[in-house]
Every structure is written in C-alpha cells, then in structure tokens.
Amino acid sequence: MDYSQKISDRLWNLPDKGERESRREETFIDDIVQKSHIEKELLSNLEEIKTVFDGGAGCGRFSILLAKHGCRVTHFDISQPMIDKARELAEAEGVSDRITFVKGALEDLSAYPDKVFDLVVSFDAPVSYTYPNQETVIGNLVRIAKKKIMISVSSRLGSLPYAANPLNKNQFILNENCEDPWVQWCIKNKDKMVEGFRFDREYAEHILSGGLMGGEEEIAQYEQGKAPWCITYTFLPDELKGILEKFGVKDVQLAGPGAYARTIPHEILVKIMRDPQQRVDFLDFCHRFDANPYVCGMGKDNLFAKGKII
C-alpha cells in the first residue's frame, strides 16, 4: 500500500471526521459555494440516470441528494466514521433503502464491472489523494461509468495562492462564534500566522512545476503515529481534460468553483450569506462565472470536470 493511501486512511478515519465534515456548509462559505455548484450540475444532468457510484462520498452530501431524486446510489468511502455519519443522515432523510454503503479505497475498484453505473461521481478531491495512482483511478472511474462522469480534483493553480496567503481560510469563515475547533484555531492564530509568514518561492515553484503537495514530512508524521493531511496531487485544467479524453470521455467541460467568491472580502461574503435572496442570487452567479473556461483553474480548491461516456 502506498503512503498516500495509508495517510488518507488514517486521516479520514479520525473519530470526529464524520461529524465535522457533515457541518462544513454551516461553517465555511467556500464549501457552500463549491457544493452549490456541484448540486446544480447534478440536478441538471439526471435525465435517464438511475444508478450512481459516489466515490469518496464522505458524509453523503451528494449520495443523499441523488437518492432523494430517485437514484440508487453506491456510497463508497475509505472512512468508517464518514460512512456511519452518512448512514445516520440518510436514515433521517428516509432514503437509506436507496443507498448501498461500501467501505473501500478508490485505488481498488476491481469489484465493479465495466459500465455498471449510469453516472459516476467523485467530489471534493479524493482522486488527488491517491498519488501516484491518480491517473489509474480516473481510468477506473471512467471504466465503471455507462453514461456520464463528474469529478472534482485538487486544482494546482487554485491551490497556489495558499503559498502566499496563510489566512486563506479566514476569508470564508461563516460564523466566527461557532465551536468548530478549526475555526477557532484560525481566529486565535491569525496574528501569529501573519507575523511568521515568509513567501517561499522555491515551494511555490515546486508545486507549479510538479503538482505534488506533501511527501516526506507527511510520511514522517505518519510513522510517528500522527494523522497529517493527505499527500495531494494537484491538476492543471488541460491535464485533467486530457486524462479524461484519453480514457474515452467526450464533451469534457471544466469549472473552478470558488473562483468568483475568492475575490470578495470576508465581511461582504458573510453579509451576502446572511441575506436569503442575495445568497441565492450570488450562488447562481458564481455557478455561471466559475464555469467560464478562462477562470476554471482558479477555483478555491477544486477543479470540476464533467463528460459523457459514448
């Protein structure tokens, strides 16, 4: 097993992961924007879709949505806490009978025959955590798809601003008074992060040229019994499109959810989110803007792609 899978397995199986991840849209505005974009794409592409594979399905944000719209969904995830939370939420929504929960790693989809699911989805970048097997994983996601595929991966151009912005997450905090430990850490350490910041050009050049975030440091932490962030491969837009086309996906379209929102100050984002009509209008406009091919690489975290299987 590669270190990427070992580290990913440990991180996502932390006991509190299921509960914390299920509350992301109550906590961070960038998650609201990203998930709104994906939801709009899914709901406008469900014609003749009866079966769905959701790879890296987490707490069931989209598995449950799809089940509520009549699909039969295979909810596939590496994390038991995530699956447990998804099952709890699915039962509360009355759709658990339409979802099959499977614990597994995206690196091994051998249990599934070719073209077995009408739609295959994998959101919030689990493919990027499978380095160095990310292309093979994409190939297998395409292999099991019959009609359509939608995925989001870590965006290289979208991630690089983090190298010059240690406060990137503070911009998107929805409620500074919430009890989420990450929110409170970001607020408490804001001044310290600014004071200790130094732009590391070598690091930025390394990501820009090779795309890989993490490696030896994460491996060392793992060996010490810790649960570091996953080793992550970040994609360029043309690279992702080329991989999908290589495996036979047609009419590939890209988007960068969060490209518009990341240009707006925290105070204005919070004001927009707190007004129901402004929120709806803003998310609709973000969906249009972020799908423009000229900005797709600058999504907040993820690069979104969809295509047809012919």
Side-chain angles (χ1 to χ4, degrees), residues 1 37 53 77 85 102 115 138 147 196 219 231 303:
M1 184 190 300
H37 186 105
F53 177 88
D77 201 272
K85 186 63 180 180
V102 180
K115 299 185 181 299
I138 292 174
K147 296 179 180 178
I219 291 170
I231 297 171
L303 173 62

Side-chain angles (χ1 to χ4, degrees), residues 74-90:
T74 295
H75 177 110
F76 186 94
D77 201 272
I78 198 171
S79 165
Q80 192 60 51
M82 294 282 203
I83 292 173
D84 292 343
K85 186 63 180 180
R87 194 188 301 274
E88 173 192 326
L89 295 172

